[in-house]
Amino acid sequence: MGNGLLGGIEAGGTKFVLAVGSSPTDILSRHSIPTRKPEDTLAEAAEWFASQGRLEALGIASFGPVDLDRDSPSWGSITNTPKPGWSGCALASFFGKRFGVPIGFDTDVNGAALAEYHFGAGRDASSLAYVTVGTGIGGGLVVDGKALHGAAHPEMGHIFPRRHTKDLEFAGTCPHHGDCLEGLACGPAILARWGSSLSELPLDHVAHRVIADYLAQLCHTIFATTSAEVIVLGGGVMGTPGLLEKVNARARQLDKEYLPGGPKHLLAAPLLGQDSGAVGALLLAKMTSTD
Amino acid sequence: MGNGLLGGIEAGGTKFVLAVGSSPTDILSRHSIPTRKPEDTLAEAAEWFASQGRLEALGIASFGPVDLDRDSPSWGSITNTPKPGWSGCALASFFGKRFGVPIGFDTDVNGAALAEYHFGAGRDASSLAYVTVGTGIGGGLVVDGKALHGAAHPEMGHIFPRRHTKDLEFAGTCPHHGDCLEGLACGPAILARWGSSLSELPLDHVAHRVIADYLAQLCHTIFATTSAEVIVLGGGVMGTPGLLEKVNARARQLDKEYLPGGPKHLLAAPLLGQDSGAVGALLLAKMTSTD
């Protein structure tokens, strides 16, 4: 490490959060810009970083799907996103050329998972999944300090939960799968069938039970397939009062105390709160600068 | 490594497969014994190993659930199995005391996953899941050469697939969850509702479509949550002619070419055939002797 700053970008579908820090958890300055056309958004982000001082490395935690294959010519790019104009956007190479520094790159949820694993809810765990429930549903997994890649990266929002008996009609909003988990339980899916966000619906509205059941199925599935110790649930929908407790109760009901390591399986809110994403991006910068 | 032999035990619910080798893939001798009461089974296994020459290390790949926590007093034991008499059976400590050698210990499916990852269908992959479909359904996952543990170990058979429209009545055979995947698609569940094994049912029987659909949901779920490159499908039920192809076709139908890394996601038969378990156990021996 030299004396430069770590830079981090949490690249989201609605906004880009930019941060610089002397370490992943020592954020010196942050700035948020709306996600517009790629060229405008990237130019504005670059301008802000240029005004912050000399960068040592830059980490990018991006909405996906993304190309994480270091040997691929499109490494560090967004791939086939439904978001207009953003397919093929070469985030890593743009900033790499602009600043001439090492670029760390991963999915937004892998970044947040790394942040919570190292500095948040997973500090005492050997593995941690981070799930965001917002405009979409995504999940990342960290095992022994490393984000899981495999063939590419997990897309946990696209499993198929069992339909809740009080929610059998809705077709789902996922353009690929219809009623996969994301198509049933993301923010826009909630809005589409109940006309408002979950937090605006009365607490006795069936939507709370239905959404808790779907998210509990996801958590049970993550525990059963990966044996993750901690699942951190973040994102706008998870801000609904009481939802985390309902998901937890329902997940335990589904499991029937079967899964080995039972008490080690925990559901938690992000301990870093809104900062998981930015801390994750700075951590990606730090990890690449010390590779 | 000294000059002794590697010993391996694939501890299954119906039989124990014992093997000695000069390396995990160079099996010099093997022997199979029926699984009876723990004390008789373990004594018989020990007697066979004693007749084979000096052991350097012993690996045990056991049916589960098992305790994999090296800091736990019950490390290397079977925990709360429904199999009468086997709960609490201290496999690792029995053989450790008997032979005074290092003991490697993991689940049967993690052992088979390690074997296929290093020497079989996953030789070119960064991650591999091994799923067995037999008297039960279990799955293990290897990432970067290491079996995934986390809170304990995966129990992939206990996810909840969507019920197939031609299979809505059957209650399922899982004593914990009823109609979880294992309760719907393991050998005894097939026998319970159709009166014979899958391979004995005519190829136009609906059971083939139903079981392929459930197993395809598992594969899609593993790909979505872990991004595994290869899933190896083994076990008695997978011996049904045409089943692997049906599972593969249905999994691709479910995914709709969405998951990133698509062509990297492969379903495969065990390349080591019946040997995955024994090779896995010998590999556990080797890994512990070179720790």
Side-chain angles (χ1 to χ4, degrees), chain A residues 4 7 57 60 108 140-141 183 224 241 270 283:
Chain A
I60 305 171
D108 46 4
L141 183 67
L283 193 51

Side-chain angles (χ1 to χ4, degrees), chain B residues 160-180:
Chain B
F160 295 96
R162 279 188 186 173
R163 296 298 296 259
H164 191 280
T165 53
K166 304 283 186 196
D167 182 47
L168 297 174
E169 304 302 322
F170 183 60
T173 60
C174 174
H176 302 279
H177 307 115
D179 66 346
C180 65

Side-chain angles (χ1 to χ4, degrees), chain A residues 25-48:
Chain A
T25 51
D26 182 32
I27 298 179
L28 300 171
S29 184
R30 79 185 76 200
H31 182 58
S32 183
I33 61 176
T35 306
R36 297 174 291 153
K37 285 192 296 183
E39 52 274 31
D40 299 343
T41 315
L42 271 51
E44 190 176 350
E47 205 175 319
W48 184 82

Side-chain angles (χ1 to χ4, degrees), chain A residues 144 146 148-156 158 161-162 176-177 179 220-221 224-227 254-256 258 265, chain B residues 144 146 148-153 155-156 158 161-162 176-177 179 220-221 224-227 254-256 258 265:
Chain A
D144 295 337
K146 239 180 100 181
L148 191 66
H149 288 170
H153 55 80
E155 282 285 347
M156 300 191 186
H158 296 271
R162 280 188 184 171
H176 302 279
H177 307 115
D179 66 347
H220 176 78
T221 298
T225 54
T226 73
S227 195
L254 287 171
D255 176 38
K256 297 201 194 315
Y258 173 75
H265 291 299
Chain B
D144 295 337
K146 239 180 100 180
L148 191 65
H149 288 170
H153 55 79
E155 281 286 346
M156 299 190 187
H158 297 270
R162 279 188 186 173
H176 302 279
H177 307 115
D179 66 346
H220 176 77
T221 298
T225 53
T226 73
S227 195
L254 286 171
D255 176 38
K256 299 204 192 318
Y258 175 75
H265 292 298

Side-chain angles (χ1 to χ4, degrees), chain B:
Chain B
M1 273 302 285
N3 298 316
L5 292 163
L6 298 175
I9 301 175
E10 183 189 4
T14 54
K15 64 178 177 178
F16 272 42
V17 177
L18 318 174
V20 291
S22 59
S23 78
T25 50
D26 181 33
I27 298 180
L28 300 171
S29 183
R30 80 186 76 201
H31 182 57
S32 183
I33 61 176
T35 306
R36 297 173 291 151
K37 283 192 296 182
E39 52 274 30
D40 299 344
T41 315
L42 271 51
E44 190 176 350
E47 206 175 317
W48 184 80
F49 282 113
S51 73
Q52 298 299 309
R54 192 172 64 80
L55 291 182
E56 176 77 20
L58 181 71
I60 304 171
S62 175
F63 72 93
V66 293
D67 188 343
L68 299 179
D69 180 357
R70 277 269 177 193
D71 299 327
S72 159
S74 62
W75 173 82
S77 296
I78 293 170
T79 56
N80 62 335
T81 177
K83 194 171 170 61
W86 283 84
S87 286
C89 175
L91 282 166
S93 79
F94 173 88
F95 289 101
K97 274 180 206 151
R98 179 71 177 71
F99 293 102
V101 296
I103 305 289
F105 187 82
D106 214 316
T107 62
D108 47 3
V109 281
N110 271 344
L114 284 166
E116 288 288 336
Y117 177 93
H118 287 287
F119 306 114
R123 280 171 305 180
D124 300 320
S126 66
S127 64
L128 175 144
Y130 183 96
V131 171
T132 181
V133 188
T135 50
I137 297 180
L141 183 67
V142 171
V143 177
D144 295 337
K146 239 180 100 180
L148 191 65
H149 288 170
H153 55 79
E155 281 286 346
M156 299 190 187
H158 297 270
I159 65 166
F160 295 96
R162 279 188 186 173
R163 296 298 296 259
H164 191 280
T165 53
K166 304 283 186 196
D167 182 47
L168 297 174
E169 304 302 322
F170 183 60
T173 60
C174 174
H176 302 279
H177 307 115
D179 66 346
C180 65
L181 178 72
E182 177 170 298
L184 291 170
C186 70
I190 293 167
L191 190 65
R193 63 188 176 307
W194 294 304
S196 79
S197 71
L198 194 59
S199 56
E200 289 163 346
L201 291 167
L203 278 173
D204 60 354
H205 192 288
V206 70
H208 292 279
R209 285 211 307 285
V210 170
I211 298 303
D213 174 57
Y214 291 144
L215 297 177
Q217 290 190 57
L218 172 64
C219 293
H220 176 77
T221 298
I222 294 172
F223 286 144
T225 53
T226 73
S227 195
E229 286 197 32
V230 179
I231 302 176
V232 174
L233 291 155
V237 174
M238 289 311 302
T240 307
L243 181 58
L244 179 63
E245 293 70 20
K246 286 191 185 73
V247 173
N248 194 32
R250 180 67 183 137
R252 295 197 178 272
Q253 208 176 27
L254 286 171
D255 176 38
K256 299 204 192 318
E257 301 192 344
Y258 175 75
L259 292 179
K264 281 194 184 171
H265 292 298
L266 294 177
L267 301 189
L271 206 66
L272 301 170
Q274 302 286 334
D275 276 349
S276 305
V279 172
L282 292 170
L283 194 51
L284 291 172
K286 184 171 178 203
M287 289 165 83
T288 197
S289 73
T290 55
D291 257 358

Side-chain angles (χ1 to χ4, degrees), chain A residues 114-271:
Chain A
L114 284 165
E116 288 288 336
Y117 177 93
H118 287 287
F119 307 115
R123 280 170 304 179
D124 301 320
S126 65
S127 63
L128 175 144
Y130 183 96
V131 171
T132 180
V133 187
T135 49
I137 297 180
L141 183 67
V142 171
V143 177
D144 295 337
K146 239 180 100 181
L148 191 66
H149 288 170
H153 55 80
E155 282 285 347
M156 300 191 186
H158 296 271
I159 65 165
F160 295 96
R162 280 188 184 171
R163 295 298 297 259
H164 191 282
T165 53
K166 303 284 187 196
D167 182 48
L168 296 174
E169 303 303 322
F170 183 61
T173 60
C174 174
H176 302 279
H177 307 115
D179 66 347
C180 66
L181 178 72
E182 177 170 297
L184 290 171
C186 71
I190 293 168
L191 190 65
R193 64 188 175 308
W194 293 304
S196 78
S197 71
L198 194 59
S199 57
E200 289 163 346
L201 292 167
L203 277 173
D204 59 354
H205 192 287
V206 70
H208 292 278
R209 286 211 305 286
V210 169
I211 298 303
D213 174 58
Y214 291 145
L215 297 176
Q217 290 190 58
L218 172 64
C219 293
H220 176 78
T221 298
I222 294 171
F223 286 144
T225 54
T226 73
S227 195
E229 286 197 33
V230 179
I231 301 177
V232 174
L233 291 156
V237 173
M238 288 311 302
T240 307
L243 181 58
L244 179 62
E245 293 71 21
K246 285 191 185 74
V247 173
N248 195 32
R250 180 67 182 136
R252 296 199 176 270
Q253 207 175 28
L254 287 171
D255 176 38
K256 297 201 194 315
E257 300 192 344
Y258 173 75
L259 292 178
K264 281 194 183 171
H265 291 299
L266 294 177
L267 301 188
L271 206 67

